[in-house]
C-alpha cells in the first residue's frame, strides 16, 4: 500500500471525475455546453487526470478513441484497466507507486511512455510496444544494467531516459547503453553522437553476430571494465581451456564407469586403465597450452587496438586544442586592437573578420571530427580482419584436430580392452577352471 495513503484520501476514476476533466479541457464557452449536454465520450481523444490522488485505474473503457492520457502525480500502484485504449499514442504514468511494468499488451500504437519516478525494478512485458519511440523510466529502482538489453527488441525506440536509477552510477553505464541500443538518438536528455554509436555498434555488434561475441575472444564484462581478467579460472574461461589443466575432465567423464571397474581384474586391464587417463590428460594439456597461446595472441590484438584507439583520440584532442587556442589568441588580439582604435569603421571590419574566423573554426573542428571518425572506422576494420584470422585458425584447430585425437585415443583404448576381454573369454572356454585367472573372472 502506498506510503502516502496515510495523509491523502485515495480515489478511483469514475464518470464524474472523467466528465469534470473533459469540461476543464474544453474552452470556457464550450464548458457550459458540455455541462448542459451529455458528452459523447467516443469523441474524446485526450484526457488529463493529473494530481487526482487516483489509486486504481478503472472505468476508462468508454474512451475507446483516446490517444493521449495523463495519469501522472497520483498514487497508482498497478498498471491496469487500459486494455480497451488500443488507439493510445501517449501515456504518462510518472510520479506514481508502480512496481511492475504490466497491462500494456494491447497498446500497440503507443509511441510515448513515461514511467518516471516509480518503484520499478525490472524492464519487462513490453514486447508488443513496437511503435514506442520515447520511453522514460528514470528515477526507479533499476539495479541490473544488463536488463537494458531487453529494450533492443523495441526497434522504433529513439529517446530513452534512465537517469536517477542505481545502475547509472556504474563506470561505463553510458557506453554500455549506447553500445547495446545503437538506434538511440537521445539518452538521458543528451544527444548521442553518431560516430560514437558507429564505433560501439561495430565493436559490440547490432545483433548476436557481433565481432566480440561471434568470434568469442573477449567477454563483455571484461571489455566494459577496459581490460581482460588475467588470473585464475577467469583467464582459463576466457581462453576456453577451463578444466583442461589436469585430469578433472577425464575424471568427470569416467567417474561413474562401473563397467570399467568390473573389468579391472582382468590380466592387463589394470595397466590399460592407468595408461588411458595419462594419454587423455596429455591431449588435454596440449589443448590447454595451445588455448593459452591463442588467448595471448587475442589479448595482444586487443591491447594493440586500444593503444591505437587512444592515440587517435589523443591526437584529435591535441589538434582541436591547438585550433581553439589559435582562435582565442587571434580573437584576443582583435579585441585589444578594437579597444585601442575606437574607430567605427575598424570595429565593423574586425566584426566581419571575427565572423569569418568563427566559420573557419567550425569548419576546422568538423573536419577533424570527420577525420577521427574515418580513422576509427579503418581501425575497426583492421581489428576485425586480424581477429578473423586468429579466430578461424583457433576454431579449425579445436574442432578439427583435437577432437580426433581424443576419439582416436578412446577407440584405441576400447580396441585393446576388447582384445583382452575376448582373449580371456577364449581362455575360459578352453579351461574354465584355469587357476591363473582371478577368482572374479572364474565366477563370471
Amino acid at each position: 500500500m502506498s506510503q502516502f495513503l496515510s495523509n491523502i484520501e485515495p480515489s478511483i476514476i469514475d464518470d464524474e471525475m472523467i466528465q469534470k476533466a473533459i469540461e476543464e479541457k474544453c474552452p470556457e464557452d464550450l464548458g457550459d455546453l458540455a455541462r448542459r449536454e451529455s458528452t459523447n465520450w467516443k469523441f474524446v481523444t485526450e484526457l488529463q487526470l493529473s494530481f487526482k490522488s487516483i489509486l486504481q485505474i478503472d472505468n476508462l473503457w468508454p474512451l475507446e478513441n483516446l490517444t493521449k492520457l495523463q495519469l501522472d502525480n497520483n498514487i497508482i500502484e498497478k498498471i491496469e484497466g487500459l486494455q480497451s485504449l488500443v488507439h493510445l499514442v501517449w501515456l504518462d504514468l510518472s510520479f506514481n507507486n508502480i512496481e511492475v511494468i504490466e497491462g500494456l499488451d494491447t497498446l500497440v500504437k503507443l509511441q510515448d511512455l513515461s514511467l518516471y519516478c516509480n518503484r520499478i525494478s525490472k524492464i519487462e512485458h513490453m514486447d508488443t510496444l513496437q511503435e514506442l519511440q520515447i520511453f522514460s523510466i528514470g528515477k526507479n529502482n533499476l539495479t541490473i544494467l544488463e536488463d537494458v538489453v531487453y529494450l533492443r527488441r523495441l526497434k522504433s525506440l529513439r529517446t530513452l531516459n534512465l537517469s536517477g536509477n542505481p545502475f547509472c552510477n556504474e563506470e561505463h553505464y553510458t557506453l554500455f547503453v549506447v553500445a547495446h541500443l545503437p538506434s538511440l538518438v537521445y539518452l538521458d536528455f543528451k544527444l548521442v553522437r553518431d560516430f560514437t554509436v558507429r564505433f560501439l555498434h561495430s565493436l559490440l555488434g547490432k545483433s548476436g553476430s557481433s565481432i566480440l561475441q561471434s568470434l568469442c575472444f573477449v567477454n563483455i564484462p571484461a571489455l566494459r571494465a577496459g581490460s581482460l581478467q588475467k588470473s585464475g579460472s577467469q583467464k582459463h574461461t576466457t581462453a576456453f581451456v577451463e578444466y583442461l589443466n589436469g585430469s578433472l575432465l577425464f575424471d568427470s567423464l569416467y567417474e561413474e564407469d562401473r563397467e570399467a571397474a568390473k573389468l579391472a581384474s582382468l590380466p592387463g586391464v589394470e595397466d590399460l586403465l592407468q595408461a588411458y587417463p595419462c594419454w587423455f590428460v596429455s591431449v588435454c594439456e596440449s589443448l590447454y597450452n595451445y588455448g593459452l597461446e591463442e588467448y595471448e595472441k587475442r589479448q595482444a590484438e586487443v591491447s594493440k587496438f586500444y593503444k591505437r584507439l587512444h592515440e587517435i583520440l589523443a591526437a584529435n584532442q591535441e589538434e582541436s586544442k591547438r585550433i581553439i587556442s589559435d582562435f582565442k589568441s587571434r580573437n584576443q588580439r582583435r579585441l585589444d586592437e578594437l579597444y585601442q582604435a575606437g574607430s567605427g569603421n575598424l570595429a565593423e571590419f574586425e566584426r566581419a573578420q571575427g565572423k569569418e574566423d568563427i566559420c573557419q573554426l567550425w569548419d576546422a573542428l568538423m573536419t577533424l571530427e570527420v577525420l577521427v571518425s574515418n580513422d576509427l572506422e579503418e581501425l575497426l576494420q583492421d581489428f576485425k580482419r586480424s581477429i578473423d584470422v586468429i579466430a578461424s585458425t583457433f576454431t579449425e584447430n579445436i574442432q578439427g584436430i583435437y577432437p580426433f585425437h581424443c576419439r582416436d585415443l578412446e577407440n584405441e583404448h576400447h580396441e585393446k580392452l576388447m582384445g583382452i576381454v575376448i582373449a580371456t573369454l577364449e581362455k575360459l572356454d578352453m579351461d574354465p577352471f584355469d587357476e591363473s585367472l582371478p577368482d572374479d573372472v572364474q565366477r563370471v
Side-chain angles (χ1 to χ4, degrees):
M1 187 62 67
S2 170
Q3 60 178 331
F4 304 110
L5 293 185
S6 59
N7 51 26
I8 294 179
E9 184 67 27
S11 61
I12 298 176
I13 300 172
D14 56 19
D15 293 355
E16 182 180 354
M17 181 186 292
I18 296 174
Q19 183 67 33
K20 186 176 180 180
I22 294 173
E23 292 172 2
E24 292 174 352
K25 181 68 177 177
C26 294
E28 185 176 350
D29 57 338
L30 295 179
D32 294 335
L33 178 62
R35 280 187 286 272
R36 289 195 303 268
E37 299 180 5
S38 178
T39 304
N40 188 345
W41 288 1
K42 290 186 178 181
F43 295 105
V44 178
T45 58
E46 298 184 9
L47 184 64
Q48 181 176 353
L49 296 174
S50 308
F51 297 96
K52 302 292 185 183
S53 302
I54 297 171
L55 176 62
Q56 180 179 347
I57 305 173
D58 201 0
N59 299 318
L60 293 176
W61 60 267
L63 300 164
E64 57 188 47
N65 290 314
L66 209 61
T67 60
K68 182 176 181 179
L69 177 60
Q70 290 178 252
L71 291 168
D72 58 285
N73 290 280
N74 287 290
I75 51 176
I76 298 168
E77 297 183 340
K78 184 176 181 181
I79 305 175
E80 57 185 344
L82 302 175
Q83 294 86 347
S84 62
L85 308 184
V86 295
H87 298 290
L88 211 58
V89 174
W90 195 96
L91 176 60
D92 188 354
L93 287 166
S94 57
F95 297 95
N96 280 286
N97 298 320
I98 298 168
E99 296 183 355
V100 179
I101 301 176
E102 58 186 342
L104 302 173
D105 294 346
T106 62
L107 309 185
V108 295
K109 294 184 179 181
L110 201 61
Q111 297 179 12
D112 190 325
L113 173 62
S114 179
L115 295 171
Y116 184 83
C117 196
N118 278 279
R119 301 176 178 181
I120 298 167
S121 58
K122 186 175 182 180
I123 302 174
E124 57 186 345
H125 304 149
M126 299 177 62
D127 294 49
T128 61
L129 307 184
Q130 291 304 309
E131 299 297 322
L132 194 66
Q133 300 176 18
I134 303 172
F135 182 38
S136 177
I137 193 171
K139 205 171 180 181
N140 276 273
N141 297 329
L142 301 176
T143 58
I144 303 176
L145 185 56
E146 285 73 13
D147 286 350
V148 174
V149 179
Y150 175 90
L151 296 174
R152 288 173 66 93
R153 64 193 68 191
L154 305 182
K155 305 302 181 183
S156 300
L157 189 63
R158 297 294 180 269
T159 300
L160 176 64
N161 175 30
L162 298 166
S163 60
N165 282 291
F167 62 38
C168 294
N169 296 323
E170 295 194 20
E171 183 179 0
H172 296 281
Y173 152 74
T174 301
L175 292 179
F176 181 87
V177 176
V178 172
H180 286 86
L181 303 176
S183 298
L184 281 185
V185 179
Y186 292 96
L187 173 62
D188 297 343
F189 312 106
K190 296 179 181 178
L191 180 67
V192 179
R193 303 187 67 176
D194 289 342
F195 84 89
T196 303
V197 175
R198 290 199 303 272
F199 166 64
L200 291 172
H201 170 35
S202 299
L203 194 61
L204 290 177
K206 188 174 183 180
S207 64
S209 58
S210 66
I211 297 174
L212 304 188
Q213 292 171 329
S214 64
L215 298 180
C216 298
F217 76 98
V218 175
N219 58 4
I220 299 302
L223 179 65
R224 295 208 323 269
S227 63
L228 294 174
Q229 299 290 336
K230 298 181 179 180
S231 63
S233 61
Q234 179 61 44
K235 179 178 179 180
H236 297 165
T237 301
T238 308
F240 309 107
V241 294
E242 195 174 12
Y243 308 127
L244 296 181
N245 185 22
S247 63
L248 181 61
L249 179 60
F250 180 88
D251 294 340
S252 65
L253 291 174
Y254 292 95
E255 62 183 353
E256 296 183 358
D257 191 351
R258 299 175 180 176
E259 299 301 323
K262 291 180 180 179
L263 298 174
S265 58
L266 294 178
V269 171
E270 185 176 359
D271 294 338
L272 190 61
L273 293 179
Q274 291 178 355
Y276 179 41
C278 294
W279 299 334
F280 191 97
V281 171
S282 177
V283 172
C284 289
E285 289 180 347
S286 297
L287 180 56
Y288 170 81
N289 293 328
Y290 173 71
L292 290 182
E293 291 174 4
E294 292 298 303
Y295 166 77
E296 296 298 335
K297 292 180 183 178
R298 296 193 298 272
Q299 189 181 36
E301 286 296 328
V302 174
S303 299
K304 180 181 176 182
F305 169 82
Y306 277 110
K307 180 181 178 182
R308 180 57 184 150
L309 171 64
H310 293 316
E311 290 174 352
I312 292 173
L313 297 179
N316 177 266
Q317 188 176 34
E318 288 300 318
E319 183 63 14
S320 299
K321 289 181 179 178
R322 185 191 67 77
I323 293 174
I324 294 173
S325 178
D326 291 347
F327 170 78
K328 290 173 66 176
S329 299
R330 291 196 304 272
N331 191 56
Q332 186 60 50
R333 288 197 301 270
R334 184 175 294 110
L335 291 175
D336 293 341
E337 291 172 0
L338 283 172
Y339 179 76
Q340 295 174 3
S343 169
N345 293 333
L346 179 60
E348 187 63 31
F349 173 77
E350 292 294 344
R351 186 181 298 110
Q353 286 294 110
K355 289 182 178 179
E356 184 177 349
D357 266 7
I358 291 174
C359 292
Q360 291 177 355
L361 174 65
W362 170 269
D363 291 339
L365 293 178
M366 291 303 296
T367 299
L368 276 179
E369 183 170 340
V370 172
L371 289 175
V372 74
S373 179
N374 292 337
D375 288 344
L376 290 176
E377 293 282 0
E378 184 178 351
L379 174 64
L380 285 169
Q381 292 302 320
D382 292 341
F383 179 62
K384 184 179 184 303
R385 282 192 290 268
S386 299
I387 292 301
D388 277 339
V389 174
I390 295 175
S392 60
T393 302
F394 178 71
T395 303
E396 289 175 3
N397 285 334
I398 294 300
Q399 294 182 347
I401 299 176
Y402 288 99
F404 287 115
H405 282 192
C406 293
R407 282 196 290 270
D408 289 344
L409 285 175
E410 185 178 19
N411 292 335
E412 183 179 354
H413 169 73
H414 287 305
E415 287 178 2
K416 291 181 178 180
L417 187 61
M418 184 63 70
I420 293 175
V421 171
I422 292 175
T424 303
L425 289 174
E426 290 177 347
K427 194 170 185 180
L428 280 172
D429 287 340
M430 293 172 54
D431 186 358
F433 302 103
D434 189 345
E435 295 181 356
S436 64
L437 294 176
D439 294 339
D440 293 340
V441 177
Q442 292 186 38
R443 282 197 297 271
V444 175

